[in-house]
Amino acid sequence: MNLTEFLKDGGFSPEVGELLAPWWREDPALETMPEFLDGGFFREYEPLLGLRESPASRVDALVAEVKKHPALRIYANLLDRWLLGGEPGPDGARLPLPVGRLGEEGAGLFSLLLALAALPRIRKSQAELGLPESCWRGVAGWIAGTVTIYKAAHDGFAGTNLQQIHWLRFSIERRLFRVGRFEYLVHTVPDWVPAVYRSRADGGVLALCRDDWRIDGGGFRVEEGGERTFLEWDGSMLTGTPIDPASGRALPGVRRTIDLEVYEPVLTPHEWVPSVHIPGGGGMTAELAGASLREAAAFFRKYFKKEIRAFVCDSWILNPAWMELLPESNLAAFMRELYLFPRTPYPQAGLFFVFGRSDGDFASYPADTSLRRAFHRLYNAGEPFRTGGMFVLTADLDRWGGGLYRSR
């Protein structure tokens, strides 16, 4: 099938043709029915999603429609190769769902089935490492979270946004692992993490801005302008801009000098410093968060022979504003246990995950939950939506529950 025939049979616009043209090739194998586009496949993995209402009967109607249109099978196979198989392809955020042929509801299920196609691969990949089944089953929980996001912006229809599916590749490639409430992405120290030191004398932890960050008058990071930070070492003494762990803000105009005979660096460039990712699903109490972090430290020690000295995170969830606007929330309780630090601004931070969309007039977005109302309070006050950063040292996790870094 050529591209013109594909667009017509699949109900796609000419703009989709322009997007796909550089990657298009005629391959009869692409017209075969993918294994995941089957009602039996969906029923096998559906129980792991915990959906309140089963869309299984609608999946059967979707499968029948896909069987009638070769273009839909071709598209399913291409998406599988590009988003899960790692083959070069278009940017997933620009790829459309086949709404023209399947409608809103059918297109959402089409993408959900594609997401579920990752589960048997992840199961096999992780079994080869001897990991517990809870790891791959936990990925289904992440997919369930994407369904909640999709429903928020699609009249309650079950589905998954194509732009999220690439995340599943990290699990297939053995770089992302679900341990308890959180996911952990393996990498070395990211460049957005500050310089972290611990006192040999009293165990106190101090974070200093990295060299050449830029911070505004409120201590938040900015892309341009503001005050430039310096991290200067004269051979024995180190001077830099400190970060307040409780507020997550740098301290503009303040300089802190430490003796490296007294303070030692906590992190080195070569070691694993996994980042924490927080799947949807609610119930993120501080107790569950602390348990997940402790379990993760033991997990990496047992299965990878790695001593993890710190976990880090960069997320809209760590916007310091939530501690003021939602002081009794799980988010605020979680943040009070962490060493917070500033991140560069992102004007749409959190909108997609909370509202299922980030386009149009925000004033018209719903305000039917406490978190959504908090977004509106920020918006009405003229405050930007922010991300924030955190680190937590594994050596301190035995004191979790007492505000680990608040007294330093």
Side-chain angles (χ1 to χ4, degrees), residues 3-4 6-8 10-20 96-97 100:
L3 183 55
T4 300
F6 167 84
L7 297 175
K8 181 178 180 181
F12 294 109
S13 68
E15 289 74 21
V16 175
E18 295 174 7
L19 173 65
L20 300 184
L97 289 172

Side-chain angles (χ1 to χ4, degrees), residues 178-184 276-279 282-297 311 317-318 329-338 390 392 394 397 400-401 404:
R178 178 75 181 257
V179 184
R181 182 63 185 82
F182 296 148
E183 295 177 319
Y184 297 87
V276 178
H277 294 266
I278 305 169
M284 195 192 76
T285 64
E287 291 75 18
L288 285 178
S292 177
L293 291 163
R294 290 189 293 270
E295 290 169 15
F311 295 107
I317 284 175
L318 299 174
S329 67
N330 286 335
L331 289 183
F334 176 54
M335 293 170 71
R336 285 192 287 268
E337 298 298 325
L338 311 169
M390 74 82 169
V392 60
T394 56
L397 289 174
W400 184 272
L404 296 186

